[in-house]
Amino acid sequence: MKRKRAAYLLLPTLIIISGLSLIFVVQHRVFGQRIQTTKLVNQSLLIDTVQLRASIAYYENHSLTGQYEEAHYSIAEKEQEIHIRWHSKEFKRKLF
C-alpha cells in the first residue's frame, strides 16, 4: 500500500511559501516607492527654501551668489532666475 500523506503536506507548504514570497516582493516594492517619494519631497523642499532665501538675500543685500546647506546658488539678474546646484544637479527657479 502506497503512502499519500507526504503530498498532503507538500502542496499546502508550497502554497504558503509562495504566498509569503509574493507578499515580501510586493512589500519591498512599496517600501522602495515610499523611500523614492520621500527623497523627492525633501529635494523639492530644499530647492524651494533655497529659492526663498536667495530672493530675500538679493532684495535685502543685492547678493548674487550664496550657499544654503549643500546647495549653491547664483542669480542671473537679466533673466530674473536663480540657478541652484545641488549634488551635481542643476535647477532653475524664478526670482520672487
Side-chain angles (χ1 to χ4, degrees):
M1 189 175 203
K2 294 181 180 178
R3 290 184 65 149
K4 294 184 180 180
R5 291 188 145 225
Y8 289 120
L9 293 176
L10 180 63
L11 186 60
T13 303
L14 288 176
I15 291 173
I16 289 172
I17 289 174
S18 298
L20 291 175
S21 298
L22 181 65
I23 290 171
F24 174 76
V25 169
V26 170
Q27 207 173 29
H28 180 62
R29 286 193 178 202
V30 168
F31 184 68
Q33 283 296 107
R34 286 186 69 193
I35 289 174
Q36 187 67 21
T37 302
T38 303
K39 283 182 181 179
L40 290 174
V41 167
N42 287 341
Q43 173 184 321
S44 178
L45 181 63
L46 177 73
I47 299 303
D48 289 345
T49 303
V50 170
Q51 179 185 14
L52 182 62
R53 288 181 180 256
S55 296
I56 291 171
Y58 176 73
Y59 288 116
E60 286 181 350
N61 306 326
H62 204 65
S63 174
L64 297 177
T65 60
Q67 178 180 352
Y68 177 73
E69 290 185 9
E70 299 171 0
H72 299 277
Y73 65 86
S74 60
I75 297 174
E77 288 184 287
K78 289 183 182 179
E79 295 88 17
Q80 293 289 307
E81 284 185 341
I82 304 168
H83 300 273
I84 303 167
R85 286 184 316 268
W86 179 66
H87 291 293
S88 71
K89 294 180 183 176
E90 187 89 19
F91 301 93
K92 289 183 181 179
R93 294 289 180 96
K94 290 288 183 187
L95 190 65
F96 288 136

